[in-house]
Amino acid sequence: KILHVISDMNPAGGGPQVIALSIAAAQAGLGHEVTLASMPDAAGEKWVESRRGAVPGLKGVKFEYVPVTGGAVSVLLGRARSAKLEGLIASHDVVHLHSIWDPLIRMAGDAAGRAGKPYFILTNGMLDPWSLSQSKWKKKLAMALGYRRMFDGAAALHLGNRDERELIAPLGLKCATEIIPNGMFIEEVTPLPEKGRFVAKYPQLSGKKFVLFLSRLHYKKGLDYLAGAFEVVAKEMPGVMLVVAGPDG
C-alpha cells in the first residue's frame, strides 16, 4: 500500500504534479494499492479526471483530498495536524512525498515519522543552491525548525539525476539518496503527430536547422543563459533558428 502526498494536483504547478501522477499510475499498473493525497483544488481535480483515460494504470489510483487548517507558523513549528492525513498514513505501508516547502509535505513527513512509516521525498530540484537562494532566510529558518530533521529521517531522498545529488551534497544530510529518473508512458505520445505538421505550422522553419528548447518557460530553466549562448551561435551560423517551446510559467 503506497501513499503519495503532494500539495495539490493543479497542473499550473509544473512538473511535480505530472511526475506524481505518473509514478502513482505506474505503481498501480504493477498491482500495488496506491493512493494520492493532496489539498482540495478544483482545477487540479478537473485535470486528474481529464488524464484518467490517457495515462495507463491511473484508473487504479485512489485520490483523497485533505483539507489543511492552521497557519503557516503552526506548520513551521511542526504543530499542525490533519486527522485525515494521519489516518491515510496509518493505513499505508510507505509514503512518497512530492516537493518540499508546502505545508502538507511537512505535516505528512512528521506524521509518517511518528507512525514509524518509511517515507521518501522527491525533491524536484528544490534543495539545489539556486532554489535555496529564493526566500533564503525563510528556508534557513525552516531547515533549523524541523525540515532538516524531516530530511534526515527519510528512508531516502528521491533525486532525478546525478547533478542533483552533487548540488545537495553541501547540505550534509544524513539520509540516503536514490537516483530515479522521470519515466513516461509510450501511450501518451502514441500515435505520434503526422510528420511535417510542426514545420507546416511554422513555415519560417522550413529547410532550416534549429535548436529546440523544450521546457516550462520559467527563469529557473536558464533561458537567459540560452539567449546569450545563442547570440554567439547566431553570429557564426546565421541560418540556425532557435525554437523556445513550453507552457508559460
Side-chain angles (χ1 to χ4, degrees):
K1 294 183 177 181
I2 304 168
L3 176 66
H4 292 270
V5 183
I6 190 169
S7 61
D8 61 67
M9 288 305 296
N10 192 325
Q17 283 75 10
V18 175
I19 296 168
L21 194 79
S22 297
I23 296 176
Q27 291 169 337
L30 291 171
H32 300 294
E33 188 173 324
V34 184
T35 303
L36 200 158
S38 64
M39 291 187 288
D41 180 274
E45 293 173 39
K46 183 178 179 181
W47 178 70
V48 167
E49 289 306 312
S50 74
R51 302 301 296 156
R52 281 196 183 274
V55 180
L58 190 58
K59 291 180 180 179
V61 178
K62 182 180 180 182
F63 288 83
E64 294 280 359
Y65 296 100
V66 181
V68 173
T69 57
V73 174
S74 294
V75 174
L76 190 63
L77 296 177
R79 296 173 181 169
R81 295 286 190 275
S82 167
K84 183 172 183 179
L85 180 62
E86 293 187 5
L88 286 169
I89 289 171
S91 64
H92 287 76
D93 301 311
V94 63
V95 182
H96 201 150
L97 308 179
H98 296 261
S99 299
I100 292 173
W101 305 112
D102 301 299
L104 192 64
I105 301 305
R106 170 71 193 277
M107 291 170 63
D110 288 348
R114 290 193 299 270
K117 302 286 182 168
Y119 61 94
F120 298 82
I121 305 174
L122 178 56
T123 60
N124 287 306
M126 294 183 183
L127 286 178
D128 67 32
W130 184 91
S131 294
L132 290 177
S133 70
Q134 312 302 303
S135 302
K136 179 178 179 179
W137 293 108
K138 286 183 179 179
K139 289 174 181 175
K140 278 184 174 290
L141 181 61
M143 290 288 280
L145 291 177
Y147 271 84
R148 177 176 289 275
R149 183 173 65 250
M150 181 180 75
F151 298 141
D152 286 340
L157 297 186
H158 174 176
L159 310 177
N161 51 67
R162 289 192 299 271
D163 289 346
E164 193 174 0
R165 177 179 278 169
E166 292 173 5
L167 287 169
I168 70 170
L171 291 174
L173 300 176
K174 297 177 182 177
C175 59
T177 57
E178 291 288 344
I179 297 175
I180 308 173
N182 295 333
M184 63 177 293
F185 295 103
I186 195 67
E187 290 87 348
E188 293 186 81
V189 292
T190 303
L192 291 172
E194 183 181 351
K195 190 173 182 179
R197 197 171 92 179
F198 180 64
V199 174
K201 186 175 181 180
Y202 300 100
Q204 63 268 41
L205 295 173
S206 181
K208 300 273 190 178
K209 291 183 177 180
F210 61 87
V211 176
L212 173 64
F213 172 93
L214 182 61
S215 172
R216 181 166 59 102
L217 306 186
H218 187 279
Y219 62 93
K220 183 188 178 184
K221 303 300 184 181
L223 279 163
D224 49 344
Y225 294 108
L226 175 62
F230 190 73
E231 180 182 13
V232 176
V233 172
K235 289 175 181 176
E236 297 185 8
M237 305 175 69
V240 174
M241 306 283 283
L242 173 63
V243 175
V244 176
D248 186 355

